[in-house]
């Protein structure tokens, strides 16, 4: 099993450009999450999903949109990238509420 | 939002036992307490999880007092490879649903020879 896979691993955008980060999990987990981590800081929750077709806001949702059309995939979109969105983005999934999270290896995003 | 508090950093030497405490005054009744380890340029990795009292696995122990307002991660006989950031994670009791898994500030553990 691959676990949680994030694509791409690296991306450079210009201010105002859009992009989508893809997270895929093969563990049949119900819950999926997107976090961002800025240098020297902890992880902050952007959006999460409790099942296929559902999404909800986390701590820092502004400037991001998400979709969970299929159970195994959780997409994070940036409609108009800003330099403040330069960060490392981590996707995670879990089988049940409050239980063990499995993380992907991260996407390094730079917005110039 | 529920808040967790951990020491920003800790220093230790190889072979010592390390205890890292996390405060979580507003933990919800159904929440679990989970600890993660993160190395640079990697995603966090699960260490241990518990609900109350004591949990032990092959790498760590987790102590949770009866009031569950804090928890202590205990790493026995640390080595240089245990140098990492350790996060305490609990559910968010003010979010309507406890699926907003909020990470603590993290503790940077530096193990020296």
């Amino acid at each position: 099993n691959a676990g949680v896979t994030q694509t791409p691993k690296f991306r450079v955008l210009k201010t105002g450009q859009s992009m989508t980060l893809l997270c895929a999990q093969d563990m049949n987990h119900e819950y999926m999450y997107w976090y961002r981590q800025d240098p020297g800081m902890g992880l902050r929750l952007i959006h999460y999903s409790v099942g296929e077709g559902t999404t909800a806001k986390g701590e820092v949702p502004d400037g991001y949109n998400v979709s969970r059309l299929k159970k195994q995939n959780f997409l994070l979109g940036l409609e108009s990238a800003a330099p403040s969105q330069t960060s490392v983005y981590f996707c995670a999934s879990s089988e049940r509420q409050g239980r063990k999270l499995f993380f992907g290896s991260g996407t390094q995003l730079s917005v110039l | 939002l529920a808040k967790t508090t951990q020491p920003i950093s800790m220093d230790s030497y190889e072979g010592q036992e390390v205890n890292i405490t996390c405060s979580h005054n507003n933990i919800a009744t159904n929440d679990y307490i989970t600890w993660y380890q993160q190395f640079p340029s990697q995603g966090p990795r699960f260490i241990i999880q518990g609900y109350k009292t004591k949990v032990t696995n092959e790498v760590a122990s987790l102590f949770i007092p009866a009031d569950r307002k804090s928890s202590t991660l205990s790493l026995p006989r640390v080595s240089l490879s245990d140098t990492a950031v350790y996060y305490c994670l609990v559910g968010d009791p003010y979010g309507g649903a406890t699926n907003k898994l909020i990470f603590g500030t993290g503790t940077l553990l530096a193990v020296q020879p």
Side-chain angles (χ1 to χ4, degrees):
Chain A
N1 285 344
V4 179
T5 303
Q6 292 183 232
T7 54
K9 295 188 182 302
F10 303 94
R11 186 69 185 270
V12 178
L13 292 178
K14 295 181 179 179
T15 297
Q17 287 186 317
S18 63
M19 78 160 295
T20 300
L21 305 182
L22 172 62
C23 177
Q25 53 96 2
D26 60 3
M27 296 171 283
N28 201 35
H29 285 171
E30 288 292 336
Y31 301 95
M32 297 187 74
Y33 315 82
W34 276 108
Y35 290 88
R36 63 175 287 175
Q37 185 171 38
D38 300 316
M41 296 182 67
L43 286 83
R44 292 185 291 172
L45 182 64
I46 305 172
H47 286 282
Y48 63 98
S49 169
V50 302
E52 181 178 317
T54 75
T55 63
K57 296 180 179 180
E59 300 175 86
V60 289
D62 294 342
Y64 304 95
N65 58 76
V66 288
S67 63
R68 183 100 181 267
L69 299 180
K70 294 183 179 181
K71 186 177 182 178
Q72 64 268 33
N73 296 335
F74 196 28
L75 279 62
L76 178 70
L78 286 73
E79 291 186 347
S80 180
S84 61
Q85 294 177 305
T86 293
S87 188
V88 179
Y89 292 84
F90 288 102
C91 175
S93 70
S94 65
E95 182 180 11
R96 300 201 308 269
Q97 172 181 319
R99 301 312 296 262
K100 180 178 178 179
L101 290 172
F102 292 82
F103 281 85
S105 57
T107 296
Q108 173 70 60
L109 175 65
S110 296
V111 183
L112 305 177
Chain B
L1 294 176
K3 181 178 179 180
T4 59
T5 303
Q6 302 174 231
I8 294 175
S9 63
M10 296 181 68
D11 294 322
S12 183
Y13 292 95
E14 282 190 295
Q16 289 188 331
E17 177 184 75
V18 172
N19 295 311
I20 306 174
T21 297
C22 177
S23 298
H24 29 78
N25 292 324
N26 299 314
I27 186 169
T29 301
N30 296 326
D31 284 336
Y32 284 76
I33 300 158
T34 314
W35 285 81
Y36 290 84
Q37 176 191 57
Q38 186 179 29
F39 297 113
S41 302
Q42 295 185 25
R45 184 173 68 105
F46 173 88
I47 301 174
I48 196 167
Q49 184 176 71
Y51 183 79
K52 61 180 179 180
T53 63
K54 177 183 176 182
V55 179
T56 298
N57 62 22
E58 63 276 8
V59 297
S61 295
L62 178 60
F63 299 92
I64 305 169
D67 65 8
R68 303 199 332 123
K69 292 183 182 298
S70 67
S71 59
T72 299
L73 174 71
S74 180
L75 303 173
R77 299 180 298 281
V78 295
S79 64
L80 295 176
S81 61
D82 292 317
T83 294
V85 177
Y86 293 82
Y87 291 99
C88 166
L89 186 62
V90 299
D92 179 4
Y94 296 115
T98 56
N99 293 305
K100 291 185 183 179
L101 299 182
I102 307 298
F103 276 75
T105 55
T107 298
L108 174 59
L109 172 64
V111 180
Q112 301 177 18

